[in-house]
Amino acid sequence: MKFSAGLISSLAVAGTAIAAPSKKCPAGTLPTTTIAGVEVVDTQIVRDAHELVKAFIPLQPYLYNHVVRTWLLGAAALNNNATLKAEVDLELHAVGSLLHDLGWDQRDDTPFNTHAYRFEVESGAAAQNWVKAHPDGKNWDAQRLERLYDGIALQTLIGVPDFKNIDTQWIVKSIGFEFPQPRSPLIPEQFYDSVQGNFTNSTLFRGTNDTFTRFAVKDPETTYNTFLAVFGDEYVAGYSEKGARLFDLIQGGIQLELGQYPDVPFTPLPPVA
């Protein structure tokens, strides 16, 4: 889940083409359908991924709408660039977009979150496991599964996806498209209007705020050293990542180092101008 224009702007897709996975189906051979005016892939695994996230509707309708908008807006951008569309694994893009926030699931019996890792990692692992268990998972080789995981797990790490493969980049970029402003020039206005008209973004930020705060309440250890820590600081009584930060590790290391090597001098670099 991206949450600022700054994050979105950092995810520019590299101009050079990158080879697609070996088991990718050519775009022209995939069945398609139209949702909210956008032509999308309509294979069985994509239909099943869409059906899977409908389980979010009763408790977290904003989450369902969010992942569907991510898929549709990404597809609209790809449809608007035939050369790029031919380079991207469209089935992988669809599945990755739809499943990119499985770890947000707040149901008590969620099968998608082990509460051991940050939500991006939980989501990526859950998506991989779901694909492997699907009857069509046999068509997903290790490279394709890795691209799926990377596109999901790297979604909030600014700049990291920029040098990954094109499929990973486009899952991340599609998540950025999903936010209401600014609208991307890569997507014709009518598709923004039709997608948001059919899958409302009217509670996106309130739902995101609530979900991120719940992570800090339920699984605080998974929020330490991540952007989620500020939600704990601002909203959760007694929350503190102090002692678990990388900063704390380094400060403790300095004291240990001074004790072990009291006679070894260290000269800091000149102050930054």
Side-chain angles (χ1 to χ4, degrees):
M1 158 60 77
K2 293 296 181 186
F3 56 93
S4 76
L7 295 186
I8 295 170
S9 64
S10 73
L11 299 173
V13 176
T16 56
I18 301 173
S22 59
K23 293 192 176 182
K24 167 189 169 182
C25 296
T29 67
L30 294 171
T32 64
T33 189
T34 300
I35 300 176
V38 180
E39 183 184 32
V40 293
V41 173
D42 191 38
T43 60
Q44 188 62 53
I45 197 168
V46 173
R47 290 195 296 271
D48 291 344
H50 188 191
E51 194 65 29
L52 181 73
V53 297
K54 289 180 181 178
F56 299 145
I57 293 174
L59 185 63
Q60 296 169 279
Y62 60 88
L63 176 54
Y64 168 72
N65 287 334
H66 163 57
V67 298
V68 173
R69 286 193 306 271
T70 295
W71 172 35
L72 297 181
L73 291 173
L78 293 171
N79 291 343
N80 199 40
N81 185 325
T83 300
L84 184 61
K85 184 176 182 178
E87 296 170 0
V88 172
D89 183 335
L90 301 180
E91 185 176 65
L92 169 58
H93 174 267
V95 173
S97 297
L98 284 164
L99 304 187
H100 81 267
D101 275 338
L102 289 179
W104 282 36
D105 185 9
Q106 294 298 312
R107 292 174 295 176
D108 290 337
D109 60 347
T110 175
F112 306 128
N113 195 325
T114 69
H115 308 285
Y117 299 95
R118 56 190 292 170
F119 79 83
E120 304 96 317
V121 174
E122 295 280 5
S123 298
Q128 273 195 331
N129 290 337
W130 182 83
V131 169
K132 289 177 182 178
H134 192 277
D136 293 340
K138 62 183 182 294
N139 298 322
W140 291 61
D141 60 15
Q143 184 186 52
R144 211 174 181 205
L145 288 168
E146 180 180 5
R147 291 178 180 219
L148 173 70
Y149 175 81
D150 285 350
I152 295 172
L154 300 179
Q155 59 178 290
T156 61
L157 299 183
I158 302 171
V160 175
D162 293 357
F163 299 93
K164 296 292 290 184
N165 60 81
I166 197 168
D167 294 314
T168 292
Q169 289 181 23
W170 266 88
I171 293 171
V172 176
K173 192 169 184 67
S174 297
I175 299 168
F177 287 147
E178 133 64 0
F179 278 78
Q181 294 295 337
R183 290 187 169 190
S184 172
L186 301 178
I187 302 173
E189 284 289 316
Q190 70 265 29
F191 294 114
Y192 265 113
D193 293 338
S194 63
V195 170
Q196 293 177 358
N198 283 275
F199 300 94
T200 179
N201 61 1
S202 57
T203 60
L204 171 63
F205 287 106
R206 284 171 287 174
T208 299
N209 192 66
D210 182 67
T211 299
F212 288 175
T213 301
R214 290 176 68 87
F215 286 140
V217 173
K218 295 168 64 176
D219 306 310
E221 295 84 0
T222 69
T223 69
Y224 299 157
N225 288 301
T226 78
F227 73 90
L228 293 174
V230 69
F231 291 87
D233 291 335
E234 294 292 332
Y235 292 123
V236 182
Y239 176 94
S240 176
E241 62 172 345
K242 190 172 184 179
R245 302 168 298 181
L246 179 58
F247 173 82
D248 301 313
L249 173 65
I250 292 174
Q251 302 315 302
I254 290 173
Q255 298 308 311
L256 180 63
E257 185 176 278
L258 289 171
Q260 290 180 326
Y261 308 105
D263 300 323
V264 178
F266 171 75
T267 303
L269 296 173
V272 177

